Amino acid sequence: MGRTQTRATVDRRVVAALLVLALAIILLLSLSDAVPVIVKRTATFLGVQEAVKTLSPRHDPWLPAHALTWAVLTTALCVTIRDKWSRAVAATALFLFSFALEIGQDRWTATRHFQTEDIIANLTGVSLGLVIAVLLYTRLQPHRTL
C-alpha cells in the first residue's frame, strides 16, 4: 500500500472488484436455462421446497430472493460511495442492469421469461439497499462538531 492510498481506498477497490464478480455471476446465472432446474433440485434435496413455496404462495416463490439479492448488492455498492448523487446513480444503474437481465432472459433463454413481478421485486430490493446504505453511511461517518 503506497503512501497516497488509504485503507478506505483499498477497501473500496476490493468491494468494487467483488461486486463486479457478483454481477458477472448473476449475469451468467440469469441467462442460463439450467438454473431453474438446479434450484428446484437443490431445494428438494435440502427439503426446503415447501418452505420456499410458503414465502409467496400466490406468486413466484423466489421473489423474496430477488429483493434480497438486489438489496445486498445495492447496499454493498452504495455504502462505499461518498457522494449521495453518485449513490443514486449507482442504485439506478443496478436496477437498469436487473431490468436488462429480465429482457435477456426473455430473448435468449428457452425456459426463462420476462416477469413484471421480478422487476418489482428487483426495484424493491434496490430501493431497500439504497436506504440501508444511506443509513449505514450516515451512521459510520465521524461526528463533526461545529
Side-chain angles (χ1 to χ4, degrees):
M1 191 163 38
R3 288 182 164 203
T4 59
Q5 287 185 328
T6 65
R7 181 165 176 81
T9 303
V10 173
D11 291 345
R12 284 187 176 92
R13 288 182 184 166
V14 169
V15 169
L18 290 174
L19 286 170
V20 168
L21 177 62
L23 290 172
I25 291 169
I26 288 171
L27 175 66
L28 291 174
L29 293 176
S30 293
L31 298 179
S32 169
D33 284 322
V35 171
V37 175
I38 293 168
V39 168
K40 286 179 185 176
R41 287 183 183 167
T42 303
T44 302
F45 176 76
L46 296 174
V48 297
Q49 190 169 16
E50 292 304 316
V52 168
K53 286 180 184 176
T54 62
L55 290 174
S56 184
R58 291 186 290 165
H59 303 288
D60 180 359
W62 298 103
L63 289 177
H66 282 260
L68 181 63
T69 298
W70 292 103
V72 168
L73 287 170
T74 305
T75 301
L77 175 62
C78 291
V79 80
T80 64
I81 299 173
R82 292 182 183 138
D83 179 54
K84 64 181 176 181
W85 297 112
S86 297
R87 283 193 293 263
V89 168
T92 302
L94 281 177
F95 172 69
L96 292 175
F97 180 75
S98 78
F99 191 85
L101 287 177
E102 285 296 319
I103 293 170
Q105 286 176 354
D106 195 51
R107 292 189 179 191
W108 298 313
T109 66
T111 60
R112 320 266 317 257
H113 305 287
F114 182 91
Q115 294 179 319
T116 305
E117 291 174 331
D118 286 355
I119 294 297
I120 294 168
N122 296 351
L123 179 59
T124 301
V126 169
S127 300
L128 180 63
L130 181 59
V131 168
I132 292 169
V134 168
L135 291 173
L136 284 173
Y137 190 84
T138 303
R139 183 126 172 111
L140 295 174
Q141 289 302 304
H143 296 291
R144 296 181 183 155
T145 57
L146 297 175

